[in-house]
Amino acid sequence: MARFWRRRPSVSSGGPSTGDPEAPVEVAESRRMLAGILEHVEEGVLLLNGTRVRWLNPAARLMFPALKQPVGRLLVEVVREHRIDGLALRARESRLEQAAEVELPISGRILQVRAVPLHDGDLILLARDITRLRYLETVRQQFVANLSHEIRTPLAGLDLAAQTLSAELPADGDMRLFIDRITQEAGRLADIVFNLNQLAALDAEGIAVERLPFSVDDLVRALVDRYQARAAAGQLVLRADIATAGSTAVGDRAKTDQALQNIVDNALKFTGSGEVVISASAELSRVEIAVRDTGPGIPGRDLARIFERFYKVDRSRGGQPGSGLGLSIARHLVELQGGTILAESIPGAGTVIRVRLPRAPLTSP
Ligand SMILES: Nc1ncnc2c1ncn2[C@@H]1O[C@H](COP(=O)(O)OP(=O)(O)OP(=O)(O)O)[C@@H](O)[C@H]1O
Ligand SMILES: [Mg+2]
């Protein structure tokens, strides 16, 4: 190690040195700037050589205060956390950047850590304290969960009162119109509350996810059957397209079904005329269920955002009813199973939403 320090005197515990007399002025200047930046960034920065700490900035010293003299010591002695040490090891061995979220046992701080391999076996470790961010996320989730729970009871009361009144009223007239409107709006509110409760349940940790083989064809056919009447009422063609018959996905059938219901609901809701096709296909290691429609499509700038909570394209124009939660729930449900979901669209021509799940290994005959 000593030889190392002599060979590279520019690195010391005080930060990258700026005092190389032979360095041209610009080099010295940029070193000074770099040292200044690293000194003041909130992100912890540690420079490693092998498993030892070569240098660290003040933010990293605050995050990992275990040793007074951390320079030259083993990383694990400095950070006191085997997962961070393991992350650095994986980055060094794979020569690929690695990232993880780690909760420090003593301080309880939550860090987002990245290990980035440099040349010569050097490695840079970047740590960001996201404790407050995680806390605020929990507060938001609890707020939404509590709110949706509290709304459920008065909503049920409202619906019951409207139904009782409705039974007393003559079949037509203004009062009937109003009471039907109340029932309809209460129903929409109940849908929103249902979606919010679903999201709250998905946010809660430890949600059970099955990983069992299920037939993709059956799932697609069942969906087509379930929505056939609604499609016909809207004068739309709804059909299945099974490209690879007999393929089997591994995952949670009920959750996949729920996700696809949200996607098919959108396709039928936004498509004015034409058709909605639910297709199934398989590749070597994954299956894909795609829902394609001939609706208005989604502009490119919105496409990446439709999976966000409450995001609706052109919300200000009113348009179709909905709270903007269906696709965020769908994404959650698919990703929980290790799957992916993506959207493609040509404005004016239609939209395709693709759900991909791991494929069950083919059993030999
Ligand atoms: N097939 C589609 N064609 C055109 N636009 C779509 C389609 N699917 C989704 N979108 C756009 O993406 C937005 C988000 O969809 P999402 O399902 O999350 O919400 P929503 O349908 O508006 O409400 P919710 O599903 O909560 O009732 C929609 O409001 C719509 O603007
Ligand atoms: Mg929807």
Side-chain angles (χ1 to χ4, degrees):
M1 215 51 214
R3 196 176 68 83
F4 179 73
W5 298 125
R6 274 200 300 279
R7 192 159 54 87
R8 289 201 173 155
S10 62
V11 175
S12 75
S13 62
S17 158
T18 56
D20 183 351
E22 284 168 32
V25 176
E26 304 94 272
V27 175
E29 176 61 17
S30 50
R31 278 187 183 174
R32 236 193 321 275
M33 275 170 56
L34 190 62
I37 293 168
L38 289 171
E39 190 96 346
H40 293 103
V41 285
E42 282 181 17
E43 202 166 29
V45 183
L46 295 96
L47 192 62
L48 310 180
N49 182 257
T51 49
R52 293 192 184 264
V53 175
R54 262 179 76 186
W55 178 83
L56 71 171
N57 72 345
R61 283 175 187 269
L62 281 177
M63 279 174 194
F64 308 111
L67 297 180
K68 278 212 169 67
Q69 299 292 343
V71 172
R73 302 290 290 268
L74 289 172
L75 175 67
V76 70
E77 294 176 312
V78 176
V79 299
R80 304 272 159 116
E81 175 50 61
H82 283 280
R83 272 169 302 169
I84 300 181
D85 197 43
L87 195 77
L89 184 72
R90 281 201 302 283
R92 214 171 16 252
E93 286 180 353
S94 65
R95 292 173 180 266
L96 293 171
E97 181 176 327
Q98 305 285 327
E101 217 173 279
V102 178
E103 185 171 344
L104 298 179
I106 296 169
S107 64
R109 310 300 295 177
I110 302 170
L111 301 183
Q112 201 170 55
V113 186
R114 286 198 297 141
V116 187
L118 305 174
H119 44 79
D120 286 352
D122 285 356
L123 193 98
I124 190 161
L125 207 75
L126 304 161
R128 196 153 68 96
D129 191 332
I130 53 164
T131 315
R132 183 148 179 81
L133 195 71
R134 285 285 169 269
Y135 169 72
L136 290 176
E137 250 167 44
T138 314
V139 170
R140 176 185 61 77
Q141 285 168 6
Q142 276 169 358
F143 173 75
V144 172
N146 291 343
L147 188 73
S148 62
H149 186 77
E150 291 302 317
I151 291 175
R152 256 201 318 212
T153 314
L155 194 58
L158 196 70
D159 195 44
L160 189 68
Q163 282 182 34
T164 313
L165 256 181
S166 176
E168 302 291 319
L169 286 175
D172 47 21
D174 280 355
M175 293 302 259
R176 160 70 50 193
L177 273 180
F178 288 131
I179 208 73
D180 283 352
R181 182 79 198 272
I182 291 175
T183 313
Q184 201 185 346
E185 297 295 337
R188 281 174 62 168
L189 203 52
D191 285 346
I192 297 174
V193 170
F194 175 79
N195 279 344
L196 285 173
N197 273 316
Q198 239 190 329
L199 270 174
L202 289 171
D203 281 337
E205 280 176 18
I207 185 161
V209 184
E210 278 187 353
R211 284 190 196 268
L212 294 173
F214 65 87
S215 158
V216 177
D217 309 3
D218 285 356
L219 183 67
V220 168
R221 291 208 180 89
L223 274 166
V224 170
D225 286 349
R226 188 177 314 137
Y227 284 95
Q228 202 52 260
R230 184 173 147 195
Q235 315 231 300
L236 292 170
V237 172
L238 173 64
R239 62 182 177 87
D241 175 11
I242 312 288
T244 323
S247 51
T248 305
V250 183
D252 193 313
R253 189 188 190 279
K255 290 194 171 56
T256 309
D257 185 44
Q258 235 179 321
L260 285 161
Q261 283 188 43
N262 288 359
I263 298 167
V264 176
D265 175 68
N266 284 348
L268 295 173
K269 177 166 69 172
F270 293 108
T271 306
S273 63
E275 62 172 8
V276 172
V277 182
I278 311 176
S279 63
S281 58
E283 286 176 13
L284 209 59
S285 62
R286 68 173 186 212
V287 296
E288 180 182 284
I289 304 166
V291 179
R292 181 188 304 272
D293 66 54
T294 53
I298 301 165
R301 64 175 182 279
D302 298 301
L303 209 54
R305 301 197 57 192
I306 56 170
F307 296 105
E308 289 173 17
R309 292 176 190 195
F310 295 107
Y311 193 81
K312 292 183 67 165
V313 178
D314 219 353
R315 184 179 274 278
S316 57
R317 263 203 253 148
Q320 295 294 336
S323 51
L325 290 173
L327 285 181
S328 56
I329 292 171
R331 179 168 72 175
H332 236 301
L333 291 167
V334 172
E335 289 181 351
L336 266 178
Q337 306 171 59
T340 53
I341 184 167
L342 55 112
E344 291 161 16
S345 184
I346 302 176
T351 303
V352 191
I353 309 283
R354 299 180 193 279
V355 170
R356 292 174 178 159
L357 290 175
R359 184 180 186 179
L362 295 172
T363 45
S364 42

